[in-house]
Amino acid sequence: MKRRAVIMLALVVIAVVPSVAPAVEPETKIGDAGAAELLLVQLRLNGVLLPDYEDALAEADGGLWLPLEPLVRTGEGSVETVGGDAYRFGLGLALPEVDIEMSRQRLRVGGREQPWPDEGFALETGRLLVSKDLLEQWYGFEIALSDDRLTVDVDSQRPLPGDLRRLRERRWQRFNQKDYRTDSAYVSLESPYTAWGTPRGDLRGSLGHNNRDDSPRGSLSGAFEAEAAYLSNRIFFSADDQNNLNSLRWSAGRQSPDGDVFGIPNLHRLRFGDVSGFRLPLQGGRSGRGVSFSTASLKRPDLFDVMVVEGDALSGWDAELYSGGQLIDFQTIEENGRYRFADVPLGFGRNELKVVLYGPEGQIQERILRRDIASGQLLPGELQVRGSILDAGRVMFPLGRESSDSGKQINLRADYGLSRWLSTGAFIGVEPQRQRLAEEELTITNTGVSLQPVFGAALSELIIVTQDTGGNAFQGSLQVPVAGLNVSTRLAQYSDEYRSPAALQSGRAVDSRFELRTGFSLGRLGSVTAEYDRLGLDAAAVRHELSPTLRHRMRGVSFSHEVTLSKQDEQRSSRYRLLASQRLGAWNGRAQLRAAGRDLSDLSVSSLNAGIDYRDADGRNYGAGSRYTLSSDQYSLSGRYSQQLGRGQLGFSGSVDQSGNWGMGLTYAIALGIGHAGRRSLTWLNQGAGSGGAAALQIFEDLDNNGLFEPDNDRPMAGAGMQVNGRPTSHVSDENGWLLLPSLPTDRPVRLTLDRDSLMDPFLTTQTPRLLVQPRPGYTLGLPLPLQDSGFLTGTVLRNGRPVAGALVQATRFDGVTVETTFSLSDGYFSFETLAPGEWRLTVAPETLGPGWKTSEVAQRVESGQSHDGLTIELTVTEPALP
């Protein structure tokens, strides 16, 4: 048994920290350049002479080998060298990244493995030379050796990063001014709900067989999102050859960060169908068929400082939960297609929770939730109403199977802001409660009141609940930051007649409960939390539980060490859980270890499980897993492989346990949906594009400046990119100018910004270079993005004839659609270098002027490619009002 435990521990380490042993370097086979002549040449890249003469090889028949590193550095790309014989070259987003490993003779272009070219490389005086044919193939270079064999001209089809910088500098050199970038305001775009959007989702079919069954078993499951009937719909189903359709869940509704669902003021969320119920204090949470709603911000949690994180995903996927970038839990999704992390603690201020989903065929999805503890305090006179009405324990489509634990549940809560430091609330809940020693159910009505006073940075909540059966309960909560610590405490007291899942612990009634939670950050090292829980049980028993947790990262691996020390009367127990996860490049690994004992000194490992996945450059996935339960001396090993087949992933898996029982499976997973505005038919989607919102932009050069794409007059722009929330993406527009941005978050607005560096002409612009959109599930926002040759304006800000430095100059289109800003320089000079054609109004932003000053307005029409110089904005004293 000990030997197996050691083996399993080794598997954990291998799964989480995949290491590659140093390879034995074979003799490098350098391409045979034949009768190549060594030349000393001067290189010229897009007209720019390199500072030093460089070695080159040339053959009489035109063969040519050039040093790649100085070319890339001159183009202001990136060069990485590993171990002296492995190179990575990058020349901006528009051109592929090239990886070369000389000792292993491996070549990857744009992340894809390529055959090793026998005559593609040469080494001269320690410098890597690359053949002309490869450079033309990778980067589209045009390369010419001069007749005197002293100069080599290298010209690219697209501007390189250095060219883009120089183009901007040349425009500024015209004015003999230093570079000063302008800023554009985000333009908010509204998109009304539609009768039929662009449904999409994930579909997974599987066929499995093992040595204990006579015949194979098949199953099919899917999770889809669709905007239909002017609602956002979510559907999950699963079926197999034994029970046919055995699960079907559906919910629909709307949510709005701005609080205008169905045009109702302050309504942020309304959902019906199969939903999770609203949770009330000191009561349990239920789910079922019904309706839930909220007029509170989407960032406000149901309860004071905890929340439930749950959602739909395909069975067999793994779900990891992160809080503030730290791994706190993970679980494997079962056949019901749900993940649920209960009572996730929330800290003071803003909390960001992230669920990372890993599919068996290599899929990766991320879902981010934000909750703000401070949002529980209401403004004076503000009213928020939340609640749900459920047929708990039942679903919209029962398929002949109903839960025995069911009944009507009504939870309603209203909160009102009395002052800046005090809010109050009232709530009512009606739900069935099954008696512990009887078969019948008892319907209990709970009524309660709450107070939420604020004392400086300290947030608090007082709750009193009464039941129509005579039971009552009290709870006080406090959360406050103290000297860098986030301290949270809660005290609850229950009467003997009080009935609620919150007043039960392992089937025993709880009389009182005291909780204390604190934590602090270790910076880059991680974080430490500690929880103390004291339970007063029936029969005068008392249970103490202390749970310290250390979370940290080491060499790219996220670790969570959880220790639980329990004591009740003379009984003691200790538990330890290690969670580890790694997501590093092509590697994904996760492991879990559990140990138990009476004290920490006698902990023994009770179970181990680990998994590791690797995705190669061609999209093939390899995975392995292991599970071991020491108490029963049972273990199992599994392996899986998947690869792209069509637009889906075809997977194979197999497993075996200690008794020789085996199983094998075949799966096919696809993302399926309706395409964007340019492709409205049913289509296969790329893996990972089956959930969240999406935006499809049609990017084209608007040659006739009418804002409409006309195939005969305008030119689609291929290779253009957008930044999402300030970060560049790997998605670029296709040859028809369509750019699809999938998997956008749907719980908050998203900022889309034109990536000018991805354009062949950096001075092309659009009327709306920055967009603020609200993605929705099952709907693709269609956004035209016409590009035009920009014009530019220059001028001076003066006050009493003297230049004004640091003034915020604002350029506003007459239609009010676009606003751009820049600051004046030390001599009052300002410039807008990429304004879209049209009528513009120039002012100094009024809100930045001091009392008694006003700004003049300058109206100017901007034409494509034209400059307008010498504009003057005057700041003058406001004339005093007449008495």
Side-chain angles (χ1 to χ4, degrees):
M1 183 180 300
K2 291 183 177 179
R3 179 177 299 176
R4 290 174 182 167
V6 172
I7 293 174
M8 294 301 298
L9 281 171
L11 287 173
V12 170
V13 175
I14 293 173
V16 178
V17 191
S19 59
V20 179
V24 177
E25 298 187 2
E27 182 181 355
T28 304
K29 181 179 179 181
I30 306 301
D32 182 7
E37 178 184 359
L38 181 63
L39 304 177
L40 190 63
V41 300
Q42 190 165 33
L43 297 175
R44 187 159 45 207
L45 178 62
N46 288 343
V48 177
L49 285 173
L50 273 65
D52 300 316
Y53 283 87
E54 302 288 346
D55 290 330
L57 290 175
E59 289 183 329
D61 60 0
L64 187 62
W65 287 260
L66 300 178
L68 180 54
E69 181 176 341
L71 288 172
V72 172
R73 293 192 185 280
T74 301
E76 299 186 7
S78 60
V79 178
E80 297 180 26
T81 304
V82 180
D85 68 343
Y87 308 88
R88 172 171 290 177
F89 301 99
L91 267 174
L93 295 176
L95 296 173
E97 195 171 62
V98 177
D99 292 274
I100 303 170
E101 296 184 50
M102 297 295 293
S103 60
R104 298 185 180 182
Q105 295 193 356
R106 294 187 63 186
L107 172 65
R108 288 186 297 276
V109 180
R112 292 186 173 274
E113 202 82 22
Q114 302 292 328
W116 182 259
D118 290 334
E119 298 186 358
F121 307 109
L123 287 177
E124 282 294 336
T125 62
R127 181 65 64 92
L128 174 66
L129 307 183
V130 181
S131 71
K132 169 186 173 183
D133 294 339
L134 288 178
L135 295 176
E136 292 175 344
Q137 175 185 335
W138 298 342
Y139 303 125
F141 285 163
E142 294 181 3
I143 301 174
L145 176 64
S146 63
D147 293 337
D148 57 10
R149 302 168 74 82
L150 296 177
T151 304
V152 177
D153 282 292
V154 181
D155 296 302
S156 64
Q157 296 177 357
R158 302 176 66 98
L160 302 178
D163 300 321
L164 297 175
R165 179 185 58 79
R166 283 186 288 273
L167 283 170
R168 290 192 178 95
E169 288 178 350
R170 287 176 191 147
R171 181 169 280 188
W172 281 100
Q173 288 171 1
R174 179 179 178 275
F175 313 112
N176 194 28
Q177 297 286 342
K178 66 178 183 180
D179 189 9
Y180 208 98
R181 290 179 179 265
T182 60
D183 196 11
S184 301
Y186 284 95
V187 178
S188 180
L189 295 183
E190 300 289 339
S191 180
Y193 278 80
T194 61
W196 184 248
T198 51
R200 53 185 169 268
D202 296 301
L203 190 66
R204 185 172 187 259
S206 63
L207 183 66
H209 184 55
N210 59 64
N211 63 328
R212 298 179 297 280
D213 293 331
D214 296 332
S215 60
R217 293 185 176 182
S219 65
L220 181 68
S221 60
F224 285 83
E225 297 174 340
E227 183 163 298
Y230 303 97
L231 298 169
S232 294
N233 297 261
R234 291 189 176 94
I235 299 172
F236 172 84
F237 74 89
S238 64
D240 58 48
D241 57 357
Q242 303 292 321
N243 304 305
N244 299 320
L245 185 62
N246 54 44
S247 179
L248 178 60
R249 289 197 305 273
W250 165 80
S251 66
R254 292 186 183 182
Q255 69 177 29
S256 167
D258 298 326
D260 59 354
V261 169
F262 293 111
I264 302 175
N266 300 320
L267 183 58
H268 287 262
R269 182 177 66 251
L270 176 65
R271 197 146 199 92
F272 53 87
D274 297 314
V275 299
S276 296
F278 174 70
R279 296 183 67 188
L280 291 177
L282 298 172
Q283 297 178 45
R286 302 287 294 276
S287 61
R289 61 190 181 196
V291 59
S292 67
F293 66 93
S294 174
T295 65
S297 167
L298 298 177
K299 296 180 180 179
R300 181 175 184 179
D302 287 355
L303 299 182
F304 180 70
D305 60 354
V306 295
M307 69 172 294
V308 174
V309 178
E310 57 185 344
D312 292 329
L314 297 184
S315 61
W317 286 45
D318 289 332
E320 295 181 353
L321 178 63
Y322 291 82
S323 176
Q326 301 292 324
L327 174 69
I328 62 175
D329 205 351
F330 70 70
Q331 58 187 236
T332 298
I333 298 169
E334 303 297 335
E335 293 183 357
N336 64 354
R338 295 284 290 176
Y339 61 84
R340 190 174 192 272
F341 301 96
D343 291 339
V344 178
L346 302 175
F348 182 84
R350 176 167 295 179
N351 295 262
E352 181 173 286
L353 303 171
K354 179 171 67 174
V355 178
V356 182
L357 299 171
Y358 296 94
E361 291 80 30
Q363 308 96 321
I364 298 177
Q365 295 180 5
E366 292 187 358
R367 301 174 184 178
I368 296 177
L369 301 92
R370 290 183 170 89
R371 295 295 184 268
D372 191 352
I373 289 295
S375 65
Q377 187 62 30
L378 277 61
L379 297 175
E382 182 181 1
L383 175 66
Q384 293 183 354
V385 182
R386 298 170 287 169
S388 62
I389 303 175
L390 298 180
D391 194 358
R394 300 179 183 271
V395 294
M396 295 294 295
F397 304 98
L399 303 176
R401 291 176 292 277
E402 293 282 4
S403 171
S404 59
D405 184 17
S406 59
K408 306 297 183 184
Q409 182 194 66
I410 301 174
N411 286 346
L412 300 173
R413 176 170 179 169
D415 293 278
Y416 182 76
L418 295 174
S419 67
R420 296 179 63 87
W421 57 269
L422 180 63
S423 298
T424 186
F427 55 87
I428 183 171
V430 180
E431 66 175 339
Q433 291 283 345
R434 181 173 293 276
Q435 299 288 70
R436 283 179 288 168
L437 301 178
E439 292 297 329
E440 72 274 8
E441 286 187 348
L442 179 65
T443 300
I444 298 178
T445 300
N446 302 272
T447 57
V449 294
S450 67
L451 288 175
Q452 296 103 33
V454 175
F455 306 98
L459 302 178
S460 62
E461 182 180 58
L462 304 175
I463 300 287
I464 298 177
V465 181
T466 63
Q467 296 180 330
D468 59 352
T469 57
N472 57 76
F474 165 83
Q475 178 176 281
S477 302
L478 175 68
Q479 186 165 123
V480 58
V482 179
L485 297 177
N486 190 12
V487 180
S488 177
T489 183
R490 179 185 293 111
L491 173 64
Q493 190 76 34
Y494 310 94
S495 70
D496 294 339
E497 298 81 12
Y498 190 78
R499 298 289 180 264
S500 171
L504 291 175
Q505 179 74 22
S506 302
R508 297 187 62 176
V510 177
D511 296 330
S512 64
R513 184 166 199 161
F514 173 73
E515 300 176 36
L516 176 64
R517 184 174 69 242
T518 185
F520 58 93
S521 172
L522 299 176
R524 294 185 176 182
L525 298 179
S527 65
V528 174
T529 61
E531 299 183 24
Y532 170 71
D533 196 354
R534 181 191 184 279
L535 294 174
L537 305 174
D538 53 9
V542 177
R543 178 182 178 88
H544 302 270
E545 195 166 274
L546 179 63
S547 303
T549 301
L550 169 65
R551 299 185 175 103
H552 64 98
R553 289 181 61 85
M554 184 172 64
R555 298 193 178 185
V557 185
S558 297
F559 290 96
S560 175
H561 307 268
E562 304 172 9
V563 177
T564 303
L565 307 174
S566 302
K567 180 181 179 181
Q568 182 177 330
D569 300 328
E570 299 302 321
Q571 299 179 356
R572 295 199 307 268
S573 65
S574 301
R575 300 189 305 274
Y576 169 73
R577 183 171 76 147
L578 167 66
L579 300 177
S581 175
Q582 181 186 47
R583 182 177 172 185
L584 180 63
W587 293 92
N588 288 308
R590 62 198 59 86
Q592 180 173 243
L593 179 149
R594 292 181 180 271
R598 176 178 171 84
D599 298 300
L600 288 178
S601 59
D602 62 358
L603 282 176
S604 61
V605 177
S606 57
S607 66
L608 286 165
N609 62 74
I612 185 170
D613 293 277
Y614 172 73
R615 185 181 183 91
D616 68 16
D618 294 323
R620 292 186 292 264
N621 294 277
Y622 307 85
S626 61
R627 296 178 182 273
Y628 185 35
T629 304
L630 275 73
S631 59
S632 57
D633 196 24
Q634 293 181 346
Y635 65 88
S636 65
L637 301 174
S638 62
R640 53 189 176 271
Y641 167 81
S642 65
Q643 67 175 39
Q644 190 84 12
L645 181 63
R647 281 304 187 108
Q649 287 285 123
L650 179 66
F652 304 89
S653 62
S655 64
V656 63
D657 64 18
Q658 79 288 342
S659 301
N661 296 318
W662 56 266
M664 61 179 60
L666 176 68
T667 62
Y668 190 69
I670 57 173
L672 185 66
I674 301 293
H676 53 72
R679 302 172 182 167
R680 294 292 300 180
S681 59
L682 188 68
T683 184
W684 311 111
L685 302 179
N686 292 328
Q687 292 293 317
S691 65
L697 296 95
Q698 188 178 26
I699 305 176
F700 60 95
E701 191 172 354
D702 188 13
L703 299 178
D704 52 9
N705 290 344
N706 65 357
L708 303 175
F709 178 67
E710 298 171 341
D712 295 335
N713 298 328
D714 300 324
R715 184 164 52 232
M717 181 65 65
M722 298 288 290
Q723 294 183 3
V724 176
N725 290 330
R727 297 180 178 180
T729 71
S730 59
H731 306 283
V732 295
S733 56
D734 60 19
E735 65 276 5
N736 298 313
W738 282 104
L739 168 59
L740 179 63
L741 299 173
S743 303
L744 299 177
T746 58
D747 62 337
R748 61 189 183 279
V750 172
R751 305 187 309 274
L752 303 179
T753 306
L754 177 66
D755 188 353
R756 298 186 189 276
D757 289 344
S758 66
L759 303 177
M760 294 187 66
D761 183 349
F763 298 119
L764 291 175
T765 191
T766 180
Q767 295 181 9
T768 53
R770 290 185 169 187
L771 303 172
L772 186 68
V773 299
Q774 177 57 60
R776 300 195 298 268
Y779 179 75
T780 300
L781 296 163
L783 306 171
L785 202 66
L787 302 176
Q788 301 167 311
D789 188 14
S790 62
F792 45 98
L793 303 177
T794 68
T796 308
V797 179
L798 299 177
R799 180 172 57 196
N800 297 330
R802 296 182 178 181
V804 178
L808 181 62
V809 183
Q810 187 171 277
T812 307
R813 280 179 61 94
F814 270 37
D815 56 15
V817 172
T818 307
V819 178
E820 298 201 14
T821 58
T822 189
F823 287 95
S824 61
L825 302 181
S826 59
D827 57 357
Y829 173 85
F830 67 86
S831 173
F832 294 94
E833 65 172 12
T834 53
L835 292 181
E839 299 284 345
W840 291 83
R841 181 175 61 250
L842 302 179
T843 62
V844 173
E847 63 273 15
T848 64
L849 296 176
W853 290 92
K854 66 178 181 179
T855 176
S856 64
E857 291 187 0
V858 178
Q860 179 65 54
R861 179 170 183 81
V862 175
E863 302 289 347
S864 295
Q866 301 298 313
S867 64
H868 303 274
D869 309 326
L871 305 177
T872 301
I873 300 177
E874 291 278 359
L875 301 182
T876 57
V877 178
T878 305
E879 295 182 3
L882 296 176

